[in-house]
Amino acid sequence: MGKQKRANSALRRFIMTIVFLTVTMIVAAGCGKETSGDSGKLRVTATTGMIADVAQNIGGEYAEVSGLMGPGIDPHLYKASQGDVKKLDDADVIFYNGLHLEGKMGEMFESLEKRKPTVAISSYLKEEQLHSDPQAGSGMHDPHIWFNVKLWISAAEVIRDTFVEKDPEHADYYKEQATAYIAKLEELDAYAKEQIASIPEERRILVTAHDAFGYFGSAYGLTVTGLQGMNTMSEYGSKDVSTLRDFLVENKIKAVFIESSVPKKSIESVIEGARQLGHEVTIGGELFSDAMGDAGTEEGTYIGMVRHNVDTIVAALK
Ligand SMILES: [Zn+2]
């Protein structure tokens, strides 16, 4: 008798468990809009800090954005860690730069693309808006698109449209956020134009460790040259050092710039070479090229990083 009772209550518990699990699943499915994070926010993973910052500005309170590449990180050489793979797997939406900026992650994006929205920001730009990168081969383009602020407005639009499509319930919010942020980008673009124009024309030459500033130069009127090509994976040799050294001497260039994501020693060898020829060159400051500054600082945002670069360049060359 006692045995029978125990068996009955075990059966009842079993049935209750099944009912409970079924109800839980139905409730979960009902709540499962496009957003699936614990917080109910759209989970967004972006590669570079610059993209993550724009996504956070537009996504605001409805997006939880994580960027994979922190301060000082070189995206050309970056390999995804175990933790990154999880962040990409868990994301509702993924944004990356493309044009082979994230050179070692290409295959990963191809496979993610089959499972979830995986958006290359650069793929929304028109061919004529892009610079070619002859060193990388025919048909290849310079990936450093964020340094033409006008082009980066397109990035903001792509991110806005992706959010609107993925989370239509908050469409109006995303549109408002984007409009406000794009207005700030317009202001930034005007600031860069006006500031760079204040440098005497013959001194508007920007020399850096790698060729990250091609779009910046053409948008704001600077001649740009770097020791390494557009990709930090490319090796530079003694011939590149002597070519750049001669360029500095011939053009009487007073200042060159280091980059937060590229080792200093490459550009120091050029400075030393010029010094041996009797031409003094100083380091005009550190520019943020392929990565932003520390989180919580002015330079830890896209707008702050561009302003910092403009101000540093103007102070050194003017
Ligand atoms: Zn670069």
Side-chain angles (χ1 to χ4, degrees):
M1 188 59 184
K3 229 179 195 171
Q4 183 63 43
K5 216 173 181 179
R6 269 205 303 280
N8 277 345
S9 74
L11 182 64
R12 201 169 343 159
R13 269 206 307 278
F14 177 71
I15 291 168
M16 288 305 286
T17 308
I18 295 292
V19 168
F20 174 73
L21 285 177
T22 309
V23 169
T24 310
M25 278 160 69
I26 290 167
V27 169
C31 295
K33 307 172 298 199
E34 296 283 15
T35 53
S36 51
D38 292 338
S39 53
K41 293 181 181 182
L42 201 60
R43 285 179 302 189
V44 181
T45 299
T47 54
T48 68
M50 291 75 82
I51 301 172
D53 185 44
V54 178
Q56 189 62 74
N57 271 286
I58 295 173
E61 58 187 279
Y62 295 115
E64 197 175 287
V65 180
S66 50
L68 302 183
M69 302 171 188
I73 300 293
D74 180 346
H76 301 285
L77 306 176
Y78 191 80
K79 287 194 192 115
S81 70
Q82 209 68 47
D84 293 342
V85 172
K86 187 170 171 8
K87 281 184 194 163
L88 291 164
D89 267 335
D90 290 348
D92 300 312
V93 184
I94 295 166
F95 293 112
Y96 68 105
N97 189 81
L99 300 177
H100 303 279
L101 177 76
E102 303 93 339
K104 297 189 186 293
M105 295 175 75
E107 278 175 30
M108 193 177 252
F109 296 133
E110 274 172 34
S111 100
L112 285 162
E113 220 165 49
K114 294 179 187 130
R115 290 188 279 133
K116 59 179 78 189
T118 303
V119 180
I121 297 290
S122 57
S123 66
Y124 288 81
L125 296 176
K126 296 187 195 82
E127 172 81 28
E128 63 264 28
Q129 292 177 298
L130 299 174
H131 290 192
S132 60
D133 177 7
Q135 273 172 304
S138 71
M140 300 289 272
H141 295 105
D142 178 351
H144 304 90
I145 49 176
W146 55 94
F147 279 134
N148 177 341
V149 179
K150 281 270 192 232
L151 292 189
W152 211 232
I153 289 175
S154 311
E157 289 167 346
V158 172
I159 290 170
R160 174 198 63 200
D161 294 348
T162 308
F163 285 171
V164 165
E165 196 189 320
K166 197 73 187 117
D167 182 18
E169 198 185 325
H170 300 120
D172 288 343
Y173 175 82
Y174 295 132
K175 286 178 191 168
E176 271 168 36
Q177 292 283 106
T179 302
Y181 188 66
I182 289 170
K184 287 187 195 166
L185 295 182
E186 296 279 7
E187 246 171 64
L188 178 67
D189 182 63
Y191 177 77
K193 275 204 184 89
E194 172 202 303
Q195 288 299 307
I196 299 298
S198 74
I199 303 168
E201 206 174 337
E202 69 281 5
R203 281 192 236 156
R204 280 182 222 152
I205 303 177
L206 180 64
V207 179
T208 57
H210 94 296
D211 259 336
F213 293 93
Y215 291 98
F216 183 82
S218 67
Y220 305 110
L222 286 153
T223 303
V224 172
T225 187
L227 178 58
Q228 269 176 300
M230 289 168 193
N231 194 321
T232 53
M233 266 188 260
S234 66
E235 298 278 326
Y236 65 94
S238 54
K239 190 167 177 299
D240 301 305
V241 172
S242 60
T243 305
L244 189 56
R245 175 201 64 199
D246 295 347
F247 181 82
L248 296 182
V249 175
E250 275 161 32
N251 292 283
K252 300 189 179 69
I253 291 166
K254 294 283 173 218
V256 297
F257 299 87
I258 53 174
E259 295 169 46
S260 66
S261 54
V262 182
K264 239 177 20 184
K265 69 175 196 321
S266 58
I267 203 81
E268 279 172 341
S269 56
V270 179
I271 295 177
E272 185 48 38
R275 187 171 294 143
Q276 281 168 11
L277 293 179
H279 178 68
E280 278 300 321
V281 186
T282 59
I283 290 180
E286 183 183 59
L287 303 181
F288 295 97
S289 54
D290 292 3
M292 306 194 304
D294 291 328
T297 66
E298 216 21 58
E299 296 77 23
T301 67
Y302 169 72
I303 290 176
M305 129 195 231
V306 173
R307 282 188 86 99
H308 165 93
N309 286 350
V310 168
D311 293 345
T312 304
I313 292 165
V314 170
L317 299 183
K318 204 167 168 175

